[in-house]
């Protein structure tokens, strides 16, 4: 039986951050000191800083202090969305539509490893959260997932497959438990 050979894989340059080393270093320190530390309580100032580093962010977006964003230049957020103290590991593009809520300690995870490969290759796939979707507290969205319009991933659940429109998902792996009805 073959064994993984991680040492070989560390020398490979098969992944690009999409930014210069200087930009990455500046983002790291800006993120640690100002964003993740919570020192800046103003959502509008956090949005401004993220835009400086290449994030595309719509109007009236609320981003709470303490958020972790790996690469802001791979982040697009639509209008009126709300992001709590969550973690966005965006090795690939993360697109968040209008009126989306990503709750505290949720994780959007775009990268994973191929456990079947001897080299344990890194696999990255984008995430799309369509309009009106809601990712609950402590929930995880895995690489390549689309949460379709107004889908809900409940607290602590893990999305390993796409979430259908107007549906509520729960569990690990998340399964549809009911339809989402929205009232006026």
């Amino acid at each position: 039986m073959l064994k993984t050979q991680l040492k070989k894989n560390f020398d490979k340059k098969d992944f690009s951050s999409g930014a210069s080393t200087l930009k990455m270093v500046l983002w790291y320190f800006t993120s640690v000191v100002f964003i993740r530390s919570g020192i800046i309580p103003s959502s509008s100032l956090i949005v401004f800083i993220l835009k400086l580093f290449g994030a595309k962010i719509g109007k009236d977006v609320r981003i709470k202090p303490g958020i972790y964003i790996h690469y802001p230049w791979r982040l697009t957020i639509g209008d009126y969305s709300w992001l709590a103290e969550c973690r966005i590991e965006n090795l690939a593009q993360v697109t968040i539509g209008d009126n989306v809520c990503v709750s505290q300690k949720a994780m959007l995870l775009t990268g994973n490893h191929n456990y079947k490969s001897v080299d344990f290759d890194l696999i990255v796939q984008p995430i799309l959260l369509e309009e009106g979707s809601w990712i609950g507290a402590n929930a995880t969205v895995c690489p390549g997932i689309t949460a379709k319009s107004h889908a809900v991933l409940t607290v602590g659940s893990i999305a390993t497959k796409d979430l259908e429109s107007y549906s509520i998902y729960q569990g690990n792996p998340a399964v549809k438990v009911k339809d989402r009805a929205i009232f006026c």
Side-chain angles (χ1 to χ4, degrees):
M1 182 167 278
L2 293 174
K3 296 180 181 181
T4 56
Q5 299 174 22
L6 297 180
K7 183 178 178 188
K8 266 180 35 178
N9 204 18
F10 289 135
D11 296 331
K12 291 184 179 179
K13 293 285 185 183
D14 58 355
F15 174 73
S16 168
S17 71
S20 69
T21 302
L22 177 61
K23 185 175 185 176
M24 288 179 54
V25 169
L26 287 172
W27 169 246
Y28 175 79
F29 287 107
T30 302
S31 176
V32 168
V33 173
F34 298 108
I35 310 294
R36 288 191 264 167
S37 70
I39 198 168
I40 298 177
S42 165
S43 179
S44 58
L45 189 51
I46 293 170
V47 167
F48 175 77
I49 292 170
L50 289 170
K51 285 181 175 181
L52 282 178
F53 281 93
K56 296 171 186 74
I57 302 174
K59 61 184 173 188
D60 291 329
V61 170
R62 300 291 180 251
I63 299 177
K64 301 296 281 181
I67 193 170
Y68 175 95
I69 299 169
H70 201 74
Y71 296 137
W73 47 92
R74 289 190 173 153
L75 179 62
T76 301
I77 305 170
D79 299 335
Y80 310 108
S81 289
W82 189 86
L83 282 70
E85 303 86 357
C86 59
R87 186 172 184 99
I88 302 175
E89 289 282 352
N90 55 339
L91 302 175
Q93 180 68 31
V94 169
T95 303
I96 298 171
D98 296 343
N99 300 296
V100 171
C101 178
V102 181
S103 298
Q104 57 273 26
K105 296 188 181 178
M107 180 181 283
L108 307 181
L109 184 64
T110 62
N112 204 349
H113 292 275
N114 183 354
Y115 64 89
K116 295 178 183 178
S117 168
V118 171
D119 292 333
F120 208 50
D121 301 318
L122 178 64
I123 301 168
V124 296
Q125 295 177 306
I127 289 174
L128 171 59
L129 306 180
E130 292 182 357
E131 179 181 0
S133 58
W134 176 17
I135 307 303
N138 285 317
T140 301
V141 177
C142 292
I145 300 300
T146 295
K148 295 183 181 171
S149 177
H150 298 85
V152 175
L153 182 63
T154 63
V155 172
S157 297
I158 300 177
T160 59
K161 294 183 179 172
D162 288 351
L163 309 179
E164 294 302 315
S165 296
Y166 291 92
S167 298
I168 300 173
Y169 287 80
Q170 183 176 36
N172 177 12
V175 294
K176 182 178 175 180
V177 293
K178 61 182 168 179
D179 292 329
R180 180 182 185 187
I182 300 175
F183 304 102
C184 294

